[in-house]
Amino acid sequence: MNTKERPNLNGMCYVYYYSKDVLNPRLAARMMERLNVRSVRSWSHVTWLLEDAKNVNRPVADDFHRMYAILKEAGVTQIVGMSHYWFYPRRLGLEGVESSAVPPRDLAPGSVYQEFLDLYEQSWQTLVQEFPEVTDWETGNEFNHKEFLRPIRTEGSDEPKHFTMNERADICTDLMFRSARAIRSVRPEARIIMPGMAPVSEHGLGVYVTNIEAEYDGIIDTLTRIYDNIRSGDFGSRNSRDFFDALCWHPYYAAQDESGNWRWKVPDAEWVKINRSVYDVAVQAGDDGVDCYLSEFGFNDWGNPEDDANLIPHIREGFRLIREELPFVDAVHAYRLFDSMGYVTDGADHYAFFSMKNGHFTGKRRAYALQEQYGGQGSLEE
């Protein structure tokens, strides 16, 4: 495992598009500056920023340009753009649909899957060309999770509702090759981060495993399959750099008791061990030294101030252990800054470190624990 300088280790997830109507990006940036955030993972869906695969949605894109400038003024040195939505071929009749569904994997010339991949690659090219200020691109999110990569199907049909884990890994490999090729064609200097993998296994229980420590077999199996795919030469190249420059996963940590009740666990030596075991997949594949990002990490307080306070040790230990025991990690992105879900739902995302209270943008107890680990200073309320 490699040891290196990590100037962008302190990261934050920021969904500007959800919060733009209720949270001034200058206020968001000030709080990130007080946290000492250096890297921001920005949700940058092609369906938001483009009108279609070849044309930019100018008003929205200009908003993002202004937001990125504000982040840089606040000391952010790395911007990670991430998109996990896409456009569909017209023959599918899904114009305007925001979905994680894809056609069945069919490599025959002229197939709807091949047409989808062509459109996908063109979209990435248009998106990346528009944003030279974005230093890194994460080309998806949790594609090993059945809900983030699923088949297009007709409601009420007998078609499968989900892909198998290996099917998802194969499609993910295709998507990585096409998006990386697009990015290299217009911004060869940009770092390409693989879609962050979730700790979700084939049986769907993910990190919530009865009576057992959190298992990451879904991440390990997916990454193993991806390297096998690349090694085969059947996915466009045998060079992993033609797919990604950096590994990426989401190290959430929880377990269930005998009654099925689950709880968040304080990161510990076992958690360090299982995260090292993920990186070891790359080492065994001959890719030792490859960059690594943990593009989401955090805990849900369910909107309960008492739970928020109880999660302080989880934040302190998790981010300390990443800094001290996982030297291969280039950046970790705390999930997430603000709890607004925008147009998606009126409900809040209680993983967030900040919320609005009586008109004030206010850091939770966990935010101060994060500030301590990041070496920041200053009030987290304004």
Side-chain angles (χ1 to χ4, degrees), residues 167-226:
E167 287 172 336
R168 290 194 294 274
D170 293 350
I171 294 169
C172 180
T173 309
D174 288 335
L175 297 179
M176 286 191 295
F177 180 74
R178 290 300 199 102
S179 55
R181 188 165 67 180
I183 294 167
R184 294 270 192 255
S185 72
V186 292
R187 302 285 176 204
E189 73 282 3
R191 183 186 286 103
I192 299 169
I193 304 169
M194 69 161 40
M197 295 173 285
V200 177
S201 60
E202 183 74 87
H203 50 68
L205 292 179
V207 296
Y208 316 123
V209 183
T210 305
N211 303 325
I212 305 175
E213 299 290 345
E215 66 174 5
Y216 280 41
D217 61 309
I219 296 177
I220 291 170
D221 292 346
T222 296
L223 187 56
T224 299
R225 177 78 172 197
I226 287 170

Side-chain angles (χ1 to χ4, degrees), residues 240-259:
S240 58
R241 294 296 81 81
D242 289 331
F243 297 81
F244 55 84
D245 297 315
L247 307 180
C248 189
W249 67 90
H250 301 160
Y252 295 111
Y253 196 41
Q256 283 183 307
D257 60 24
E258 293 180 355
S259 301

Side-chain angles (χ1 to χ4, degrees), residues 6 271 294 318-326 329 332:
R6 300 183 290 175
W271 180 78
L294 306 178
F319 286 88
R320 181 188 70 80
L321 288 170
I322 291 168
R323 186 177 66 252
E324 297 180 4
E325 301 293 337
L326 300 177
V329 174
V332 53

Side-chain angles (χ1 to χ4, degrees), residues 52-236:
D52 54 46
K54 294 184 177 181
N55 295 287
V56 173
N57 184 332
R58 180 51 54 199
V60 177
D62 285 348
D63 276 350
F64 271 70
H65 285 302
R66 285 188 286 268
M67 178 267 293
Y68 288 146
I70 290 167
L71 291 181
K72 289 189 172 185
E73 290 171 5
V76 172
T77 53
Q78 181 182 66
I79 296 172
V80 179
M82 187 278 295
S83 174
H84 63 79
Y85 290 139
W86 35 71
F87 296 115
Y88 293 97
R90 289 188 180 277
R91 57 173 147 162
L92 290 175
L94 295 174
E95 289 86 350
V97 173
E98 198 169 82
S99 170
S100 298
V102 300
R105 189 170 188 266
D106 177 1
L107 301 181
S111 70
V112 69
Y113 183 71
Q114 290 284 21
E115 186 179 350
F116 164 76
L117 288 178
D118 291 343
L119 201 61
Y120 183 79
E121 183 172 354
Q122 177 64 66
S123 299
W124 271 103
Q125 190 175 59
T126 306
L127 177 67
V128 174
Q129 180 69 57
E130 174 64 24
F131 290 100
E133 65 268 54
V134 174
T135 57
D136 304 57
W137 289 98
E138 183 183 351
T139 57
N141 178 69
E142 298 191 349
F143 286 166
N144 68 316
H145 194 306
K146 65 182 182 181
E147 297 303 329
F148 281 95
L149 197 60
R150 60 182 187 271
I152 294 174
R153 62 190 299 272
T154 304
E155 191 66 32
S157 74
D158 294 330
E159 299 165 311
K161 292 183 179 180
H162 302 291
F163 294 119
T164 66
M165 185 198 73
N166 282 343
E167 287 172 336
R168 290 194 294 274
D170 293 350
I171 294 169
C172 180
T173 309
D174 288 335
L175 297 179
M176 286 191 295
F177 180 74
R178 290 300 199 102
S179 55
R181 188 165 67 180
I183 294 167
R184 294 270 192 255
S185 72
V186 292
R187 302 285 176 204
E189 73 282 3
R191 183 186 286 103
I192 299 169
I193 304 169
M194 69 161 40
M197 295 173 285
V200 177
S201 60
E202 183 74 87
H203 50 68
L205 292 179
V207 296
Y208 316 123
V209 183
T210 305
N211 303 325
I212 305 175
E213 299 290 345
E215 66 174 5
Y216 280 41
D217 61 309
I219 296 177
I220 291 170
D221 292 346
T222 296
L223 187 56
T224 299
R225 177 78 172 197
I226 287 170
Y227 272 114
D228 287 346
N229 286 344
I230 295 170
R231 190 180 301 112
S232 75
D234 295 333
F235 288 77

Side-chain angles (χ1 to χ4, degrees), residues 288-310:
D288 191 8
V290 65
D291 291 346
C292 177
Y293 286 68
L294 306 178
S295 64
E296 287 183 19
F297 180 50
F299 302 89
N300 193 327
D301 65 17
W302 304 107
N304 186 327
E306 183 177 347
D307 286 344
D308 173 43
N310 290 338

